[in-house]
Amino acid sequence: MKVEKIHIESEFIRLQDLLKLSGVCSTGGMAKVVIQNGEVLVNNEVCTMRGKKMRPGDTAQFDDIDIVVE
């Protein structure tokens, strides 16, 4: 499994934006679809909220890629 670390300067980043920033989704529309289809895990639980606030220490998993927020 590949691990992608994303450093943020703000308090949080929304899940949809995290998927775009990490490059696992090329567009916001694609991110919206994979999230709403239940294909994304946040902290090892299925998450269907594209506006989910991701804070440092949170992880998202999609398509064999772990995205860690730092």
Side-chain angles (χ1 to χ4, degrees), residues 30-45:
M30 181 184 175
K32 175 183 175 180
V33 170
V34 299
I35 293 167
Q36 290 180 339
N37 286 342
E39 298 176 42
V40 179
L41 299 178
V42 172
N43 298 326
N44 296 317
E45 294 183 11

Side-chain angles (χ1 to χ4, degrees), residues 6 8 10-22 31 35 42 47 49-55 60 67 69:
I6 301 294
I8 60 171
S10 58
E11 179 184 347
F12 65 87
I13 185 171
R14 300 203 184 276
L15 179 58
Q16 177 176 330
D17 297 330
L18 180 68
L19 294 179
K20 288 190 314 185
L21 182 63
S22 68
I35 293 167
V42 172
C47 181
M49 299 180 298
R50 63 185 174 146
K52 169 80 173 151
K53 295 178 181 177
M54 302 291 290
R55 293 182 165 80
I67 306 162
V69 181

